[in-house]
């Protein structure tokens, strides 16, 4: 249970940490009612589908799966699912994971030709003794489960990749989705720019249970076979039903190095409010980095057992979407280091 008094009694806490807890920075729906939150502006449409389930007394696990399927199927979204930008060889490879309130989890890594990797990840969790399936094995499993092979490389993404091939420079640009997504027709997206961004979604249901899902096409023009943080339990996503849940977006290598989402949840266990937990995890990345973090983006999003939520990112521009019984299309600008 999230129990600050017990935690303070049982552990030797520093005065500073107690001060943070008392002076809670958490944003809350204040009702212990269902809530769903997700990364980026495109989280609004995803939350709407998740909310249909949560508001009908449904399970958080079903809600997060249904929710993230929205950007997975969205042809305009070039960083998740169908329409995602390919790797440097022109192949779209997708990463996804899902985790429930019992600590069950499933993931697919570098899955090709399947539009909804999150649905496959859920079946890895439910129908196999494993947590992760990668590449050809993940595809074979998906086909056995009845998924259909589809070409995920859209004309626009192919055009962008061909444009990129002219320079072949791998330089991720932070918050590219805010600069481009929905502000330009997909065909106008410049091919020599790098696109990334993930939908990470966290939900609390009526029964008080938490679940999370995370799905992405990863960093555009990555090396073939590159895996980011998004399908790695503890890095791109973590759920502990006693404490809370967290998810990450941004340059996955940095999130993996710091086991980011697990860290955020562990900080919440130490009574950090969600935003402070995300901030501390971001600071850990910044402190460890020898080079400048001026061009590096990592953002964390967290939800605790009480329905309090918060986020923090290295760069400005990280947004997240919140949906509960009071508001269905709220977009919040996350705080940031720079
Ligand atoms: N974290 C994702 C990855 O590294 C990309 C992103 O969220 O921007 O694959």
């Amino acid at each position: 249970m999230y129990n600050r008094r017990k935690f303070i009694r049982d552990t030797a806490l520093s005065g500073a940490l107690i001060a943070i807890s008392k002076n809670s920075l958490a944003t809350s729906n204040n009702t212990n009612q269902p809530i769903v939150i997700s990364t980026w502006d495109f989280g609004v449409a995803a939350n709407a589908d998740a909310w249909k389930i949560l508001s009908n007394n449904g399970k958080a696990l079903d809600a997060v799966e249904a929710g993230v399927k929205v950007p997975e199927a969205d042809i305009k979204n070039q960083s998740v699912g169908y329409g995602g930008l390919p790797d440097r060889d022109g192949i779209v490879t997708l990463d996804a994971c899902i985790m429930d309130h019992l600590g069950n989890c499933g993931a697919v890594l570098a899955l090709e030709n399947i539009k909804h990797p999150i649905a496959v990840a859920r079946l890895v969790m439910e129908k196999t003794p494993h947590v992760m399936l990668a590449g050809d094995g993940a595809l074979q499993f998906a086909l056995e489960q009845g998924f259909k092979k589809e070409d995920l490389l859209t004309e626009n993404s192919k055009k962008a990749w061909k444009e990129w091939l002219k320079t072949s420079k791998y330089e991720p640009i932070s918050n590219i989705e805010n600069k481009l997504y929905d502000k330009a027709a997909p065909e106008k997206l410049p091919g020599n720019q790098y696109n990334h961004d993930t939908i990470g979604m966290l939900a609390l249901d009526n029964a008080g249970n938490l679940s999370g899902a995370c799905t992405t096409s990863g960093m555009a023009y990555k090396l073939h076979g590159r895996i980011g943080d998004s399908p790695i339990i503890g890095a791109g996503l973590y759920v502990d039903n006693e404490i809370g849940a967290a998810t990450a977006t941004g340059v996955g290598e940095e999130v993996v190095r710091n086991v980011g989402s697990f860290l955020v949840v562990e900080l919440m266990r130490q009574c950090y409010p969600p935003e402070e937990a995300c901030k501390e995890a971001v600071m850990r990345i910044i402190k460890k980095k020898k080079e400048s973090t001026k061009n590096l983006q990592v953002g964390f999003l967290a939800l605790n057992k009480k329905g309090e939520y918060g986020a923090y990112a290295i760069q400005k521009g990280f947004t997240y979407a919140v949906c509960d019984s009071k508001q269905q299309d709220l977009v919040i600008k996350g705080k940031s280091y720079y």
Side-chain angles (χ1 to χ4, degrees), residues 40 95 196-198 216 218-219 226 228-230 248-253:
W40 304 113
D95 298 334
H196 57 93
D197 289 336
T198 294
T216 190
M219 309 297 278
R226 177 263 186 192
D229 59 315
S230 306
T249 183
V251 177
E253 283 74 4

Side-chain angles (χ1 to χ4, degrees), residues 248-259:
T249 183
V251 177
E253 283 74 4
E254 298 308 326
V255 180
V256 170
R257 284 186 185 110
N258 291 276
V259 200

